């Protein structure tokens, strides 16, 4: 299809849909698949579903993500330009017909994960691209082209391989081919043939790829892509806030060295709160100032259920949140103190502190030093008494924080 079509439409944030102009639909409805991708000027991609109910046609199931990230209202409009296949270029306009600035979305990680056909509809914002296999592609004899928009936003310029991880967590390292025809041209090759043949795929099968960030492998650190850091480092303060879809927010510190940077301070707290592990994936959308909008997915790229933060945490003091398990509620095991709190809230030679509740209860606890890491510390003697006095149950949440006095640790309790 060589002709370019364009239409303008109102956005309905309350119903999370974008209406498709009837005259446009009549011209192209035979060429547009049910699953499409909307791409904004910053190359952010939004998989959407096209629904035709006979009387009207609209983009749905995915428009809510655009509404959240752009904070859209009824006065906003969208200009959609169709170039063919399943891709639409979009531009958001406000009520004064001024172009709305695009947010930057970071797809963290160097892995690409593979999902089978049945799971693709649930991948939501984590879906990078989908492939309908031809007969030749299903045989594995062809290399797999990576969309140019993802080469720019996801891959490093000198990257020579990519890891493909299937739904059973089997990893296949594949070479990346870099032809000289275009700067953004990349192909998955090498072991790709082995991967495809091992799946026994057939013509017509659909592959869905999504980005995965190894949240645990960096020990409480989340890498920031070099492209993003180069573009935004002068705008970012040393502390930012991660905000999830239900309003939970976490103050996160940024550490940088030269051209590289990481999210570090309080990342362990966020990992503990959501129960993240190395198989989870994350999207981080920079909203300007000191705010990042975050979305988290499980090993299959399906978005997690976000818990409501039960305790208001102090914004000016070091803290950590601990959720009681069945074994820890008894107090018979020493309580590990997160490394970030050891560095920020304790003295290097400190061997004891006092736990303080708002009701006046005070318990003196000894601090033991581990042998594996320099910042490994545990609450031991006194911790058992504190747990017994408060009769903790599995699921109870405790907020520990210091108000500047390393020898006094305040505690708030939220019962399950």
């Amino acid at each position: 299809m060589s002709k370019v079509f364009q239409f303008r439409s109102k956005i309905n944030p309350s119903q999370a849909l974008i209406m498709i102009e009837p005259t446009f639909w009549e011209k192209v409805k035979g060429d547009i698949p049910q699953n499409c991708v909307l791409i904004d000027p910053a190359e952010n991609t939004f998989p959407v579903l096209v629904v035709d109910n006979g009387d009207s046609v609209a983009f749905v199931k995915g428009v809510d993500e655009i509404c959240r990230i752009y904070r859209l209202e009824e006065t906003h409009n969208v200009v959609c330009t169709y170039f063919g296949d399943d891709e639409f270029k979009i531009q958001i306009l406000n009520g004064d017909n001024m172009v709305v600035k695009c947010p930057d979305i970071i797809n963290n990680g160097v892995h690409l994960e593979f999902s089978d056909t049945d799971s693709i509809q649930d991948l939501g914002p984590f879906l990078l691209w989908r492939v309908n296999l031809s007969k030749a592609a299903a045989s594995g004899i062809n290399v797999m082209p990576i969309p140019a928009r993802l080469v720019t936003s996801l891959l490093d310029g000198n990257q020579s391989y990519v890891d493909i991880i299937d739904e059973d967590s089997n990893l296949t390292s594949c070479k990346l081919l870099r032809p000289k025809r275009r700067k953004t041209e990349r192909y998955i090759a090498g072991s790709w043939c082995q991967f495809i043949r091992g799946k026994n795929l057939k013509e017509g099968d659909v592959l869905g790829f999504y980005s995965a960030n190894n949240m645990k492998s960096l020990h409480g650190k989340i890498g920031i892509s070099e492209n993003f850091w180069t573009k935004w480092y002068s705008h970012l303060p040393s502390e930012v806030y991660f905000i999830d879809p239900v309003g939970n927010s976490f103050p996160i510190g940024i550490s940088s060295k030269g051209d590289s940077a990481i999210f570090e301070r309080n990342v362990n707290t966020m990992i503990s709160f959501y129960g993240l592990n190395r198989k989870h994936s994350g999207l981080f959308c920079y909203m300007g100032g000191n705010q990042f909008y975050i979305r988290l997915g499980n090993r299959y790229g399906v978005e997690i259920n976000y818990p409501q933060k039960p305790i208001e945490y102090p914004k000016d003091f070091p803290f950590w949140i601990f959720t009681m398990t069945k074994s820890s509620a008894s107090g018979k095991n020493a309580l590990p103190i997160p490394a970030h709190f050891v560095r920020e809230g304790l003295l290097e030679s400190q061997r004891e502190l006092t736990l303080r509740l708002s009701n006046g209860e005070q318990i003196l606890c000894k601090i033991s030093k581990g042998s594996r890491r320099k910042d490994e510390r545990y609450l031991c003697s006194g911790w058992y008494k504190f747990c017994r006095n408060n009769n903790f149950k599995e699921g109870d949440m405790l907020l520990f924080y210091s108000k500047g006095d390393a020898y006094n640790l305040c505690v708030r309790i939220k019962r399950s």
Side-chain angles (χ1 to χ4, degrees):
M1 184 176 184
S2 58
K3 191 172 181 180
V4 175
F5 293 92
Q6 187 177 83
F7 68 91
R8 175 170 172 160
S9 177
K10 280 281 188 183
I11 298 175
N12 190 329
S14 61
Q15 297 183 27
L17 58 83
I18 298 174
M19 300 304 299
I20 297 177
E21 189 179 73
T23 54
F24 164 81
W25 182 247
E26 286 301 318
K27 295 176 183 177
V28 301
K29 64 181 179 181
D31 301 307
I32 298 180
Q34 188 177 25
N35 295 291
C36 292
V37 179
L38 306 185
I39 308 170
D40 71 10
E43 298 296 324
N44 299 320
T45 60
F46 305 93
V48 295
L49 193 67
V50 178
V51 174
D52 182 358
N53 63 12
D55 297 325
S56 60
V57 188
F59 293 125
V60 299
K61 196 175 182 182
V63 175
D64 58 332
E65 175 69 5
I66 303 175
C67 293
R68 286 196 192 99
I69 288 179
Y70 278 92
R71 301 181 181 182
L72 299 183
E73 300 175 354
E74 301 286 347
T75 55
H76 284 90
N77 292 275
V78 60
V79 176
C80 301
T81 305
Y82 180 58
F83 293 92
D85 298 325
D86 65 346
E87 294 186 355
F88 286 79
K89 298 285 187 180
I90 64 168
Q91 197 166 48
I92 307 296
L93 307 177
N94 62 20
D96 298 321
N97 289 324
M98 301 295 291
V99 176
V100 176
K101 181 182 176 182
C102 300
D104 251 23
I105 296 179
I106 310 171
N107 275 299
N108 257 341
V110 296
H111 298 309
L112 292 178
E113 296 216 8
F114 159 87
S115 176
D116 58 26
T117 306
D118 294 337
S119 304
I120 289 177
Q121 294 299 329
D122 297 322
L123 292 179
F126 301 97
L127 181 65
L128 293 178
W129 89 96
R130 62 171 55 81
V131 178
N132 292 287
L133 290 180
S134 64
K135 186 175 181 179
S139 69
I141 61 175
N142 293 339
V143 294
M144 174 62 66
I146 300 177
R149 67 179 187 275
L150 299 177
V151 173
T152 302
S153 63
L154 186 67
L155 302 180
D156 293 331
N158 297 319
Q159 192 169 329
S160 60
Y161 74 94
V162 66
D163 292 333
I164 306 293
I165 307 171
D166 68 14
E167 59 268 41
D168 296 319
S169 298
N170 300 314
L171 184 146
T172 304
S173 289
C174 300
K175 290 183 179 180
L176 284 180
L177 293 183
R178 301 175 60 191
K180 296 181 179 180
R181 289 172 293 184
R182 295 196 313 273
K183 185 178 179 180
T184 57
E185 191 173 7
R186 297 290 188 282
Y187 296 89
I188 302 175
S191 300
W192 174 249
C193 175
Q194 173 188 338
F195 176 81
I196 289 292
R197 290 178 178 175
K199 291 295 173 186
N200 193 28
L201 298 172
K202 298 179 178 60
E203 181 181 5
D205 286 347
V206 181
L207 305 187
F209 293 86
Y210 60 98
S211 174
N213 174 42
N214 192 327
M215 303 289 259
K216 273 285 192 180
S217 66
L218 295 177
H219 304 290
K221 302 174 184 178
I222 299 176
I224 301 175
S225 70
E226 185 176 338
N227 289 342
F228 177 86
W229 181 247
T230 301
K231 181 177 180 180
W232 292 105
Y233 76 93
S234 62
H235 299 263
L236 291 168
S238 59
E239 182 178 86
V240 297
Y241 282 86
F242 283 0
I243 305 172
D244 72 15
V246 300
N248 298 320
S249 62
F250 297 87
I252 303 291
I254 296 178
S255 300
S256 62
K257 185 177 180 180
D259 294 332
S260 62
I262 55 173
F263 295 118
E264 185 173 20
R265 185 168 58 83
N266 286 341
V267 167
N268 273 322
T269 300
M270 187 185 77
I271 289 173
S272 299
F273 178 72
Y274 292 111
L276 303 179
N277 58 48
R278 66 182 183 84
K279 296 177 182 177
H280 284 85
S281 53
L283 286 173
F284 304 83
C285 176
Y286 182 48
M287 306 301 293
N290 66 346
Q291 293 189 352
F292 282 80
Y293 181 67
I294 66 171
R295 306 288 294 272
L296 302 170
N298 64 17
R299 59 179 289 191
Y300 299 111
V302 179
E303 194 159 15
I304 68 170
N305 293 318
Y306 299 95
Q308 291 284 352
K309 183 171 287 186
I311 305 175
E312 286 296 321
Y313 55 87
K315 296 184 178 179
D316 300 319
F317 304 108
F319 73 95
W320 90 90
I321 297 172
F322 181 76
T323 302
M324 284 290 181
T325 62
K326 189 174 182 178
S327 59
S328 62
S330 67
K332 294 180 180 179
N333 298 325
L335 178 70
I337 303 175
H340 74 87
F341 190 89
V342 173
R343 295 191 296 267
E344 300 165 13
L346 301 181
L347 303 176
E348 186 174 352
S349 59
Q350 189 171 340
R351 293 295 176 265
E352 64 179 25
L353 56 73
T354 299
L355 297 178
R356 296 180 179 274
L357 287 172
S358 58
N359 63 7
E361 180 183 354
Q362 302 179 24
I363 299 290
L364 181 66
C365 294
K366 298 292 185 181
I367 299 174
S368 65
K369 186 176 181 180
S371 58
R372 293 172 295 179
R373 301 189 315 272
K374 181 180 178 181
D375 51 11
E376 187 177 5
R377 300 289 188 279
Y378 299 87
L379 283 183
C380 47
S381 176
W383 173 245
Y384 171 74
K385 181 179 179 181
F386 182 77
C387 291
R388 185 183 59 189
N389 288 356
N390 289 280
N391 192 28
F392 291 127
K393 301 284 193 305
E394 181 180 6
D396 288 347
M397 298 189 74
L398 281 67
L399 169 70
F400 299 90
Y401 65 99
S402 168
K403 289 186 175 181
D405 181 357
Y407 289 93
N408 288 280
L409 190 61
C410 301
V411 185
R412 296 182 194 168
I413 301 170
K414 178 71 175 182
R415 302 290 181 178
S416 60

